[in-house]
Amino acid sequence: MDRIVYGFFYVVSLLPLRLLYLFSDLAYFIIYHIVGYRKDIVAQNLLIAFPEKTNAERKAIAKQFYKNFCDSFIETLKAFSADKDYILKHFNGDYSIFDELKAMGHQKIQLHSGHFFNWEWANLSTPIQLPYLFLSVYMPINNTLFDKIFIRLRSKTGAALADARNLRTQVIPYRHTPHVIALIADQNPAEPTRGLWVNFFTKPAPFLKAPESGARRGNIPVVFTHFTKKKRGYYTIHFTLANETPINTKQGELTVQYARYLEEAIREQPANWLWSHRRWKMEWRPEYGDILS
């Protein structure tokens, strides 16, 4: 069944992107103007992040976010038939930092990203351009059929996939293979007590402990990344070496650095981040630990 559905998506994806974007425009109108999908959450998140902006300015960001949100689904659909040249034309950047790290003898790199559009194209473009194996950590889709389809899609350009629910076991086969492990690190932990609480924009938010603790424990260099949208359908990926020797950092230091990086990247293109995500759904309590800043 998954092959049939994959084949259907493949055939539809053969349509020109400019034509597929008409479906995105229609989806935007329905989702934003008729259904109002998570509009209250988006508005509240934008108020927390940008209290200094006017209501009109935040509304403009929200509208563009929903357009980007819909475009991301259409672009992901297009990826079913996109070859490597097409992907590199639409999503590229300067990957020289990884050549430098490899020349220094580093066998493992941690890549900390966030929910920037279009992360599915990033997952396809990056393996083509890295001098390492690209190990992408993902959260399985609840629907088994679509999970199989997206595993096939996400690995089509050479990425190896690791299930986030059992990451320590999943990375064992790659422990002797030079690789870059990519983590979407702006997610909430399952329990507030298991996170590092950081002032994020104007309100504390819990960040996952695992990305930082893994880097410190293995002394694995950490690179931060985000993506910017040049125009519709064209993106640039950016990399910043956060720390080459995390073992020398204090607990929480890398996570705070990552939060500040996220803030700067989001301010650069505020509509290109996933504002429908409940980033501040948990309220800090003293028993959760100190708030880092």
Side-chain angles (χ1 to χ4, degrees), residues 64-219:
Q64 187 58 50
F65 155 72
Y66 278 99
K67 291 177 181 178
N68 291 342
F69 181 76
C70 294
D71 278 0
S72 71
F73 283 98
I74 292 301
E75 291 161 0
T76 300
L77 176 60
K78 183 63 181 177
F80 279 83
S81 63
D83 60 19
K84 291 182 178 181
D85 289 340
Y86 186 94
I87 293 167
L88 293 178
K89 178 182 177 182
H90 288 263
F91 196 104
N92 54 53
D94 181 2
Y95 286 77
S96 60
I97 182 63
F98 298 100
D99 294 312
E100 296 170 9
L101 289 169
K102 190 171 185 179
M104 294 176 189
H106 294 293
Q107 299 298 298
K108 300 176 184 178
I109 311 294
Q110 270 197 20
L111 188 62
H112 295 189
S113 184
H115 282 91
F116 296 97
F117 300 122
N118 184 326
W119 61 80
E120 294 291 354
W121 276 16
N123 188 76
L124 294 174
S125 178
T126 302
I128 305 171
Q129 304 179 76
L130 281 180
Y132 292 89
L133 169 74
F134 185 63
L135 182 57
S136 180
V137 179
Y138 78 104
M139 185 62 70
I141 300 171
N142 290 331
N143 184 290
T144 304
L145 172 63
F146 280 94
D147 190 50
K148 289 181 179 179
I149 290 171
F150 270 84
I151 286 175
R152 181 177 174 183
L153 174 64
R154 289 166 176 170
S155 60
K156 66 177 282 186
T157 59
L161 302 181
D163 187 334
R165 299 171 304 179
N166 192 21
L167 187 55
R168 289 189 178 183
T169 302
Q170 292 276 300
V171 299
I172 289 176
Y174 308 101
R175 64 188 183 280
H176 300 307
T177 303
H179 65 262
V180 172
I181 183 167
L183 304 163
I184 301 292
D186 61 350
Q187 297 173 315
N188 286 316
E191 297 292 336
T193 55
R194 296 170 60 185
L196 290 171
W197 284 80
V198 179
N199 279 321
F200 186 50
F201 285 102
T202 64
K203 187 176 180 180
F207 282 74
L208 297 168
K209 288 183 178 181
E212 174 185 307
S213 62
R216 293 176 67 228
R217 184 172 57 251
N219 199 27

Side-chain angles (χ1 to χ4, degrees), residues 12 54-56 132 143 167 217 219 223 230 242 252 267 275 279-280:
V12 174
T54 65
N55 288 334
Y132 292 89
N143 184 290
L167 187 55
R217 184 172 57 251
N219 199 27
V223 174
K230 293 183 287 187
R267 288 191 178 100
W275 291 104
R279 193 64 194 89
W280 292 276

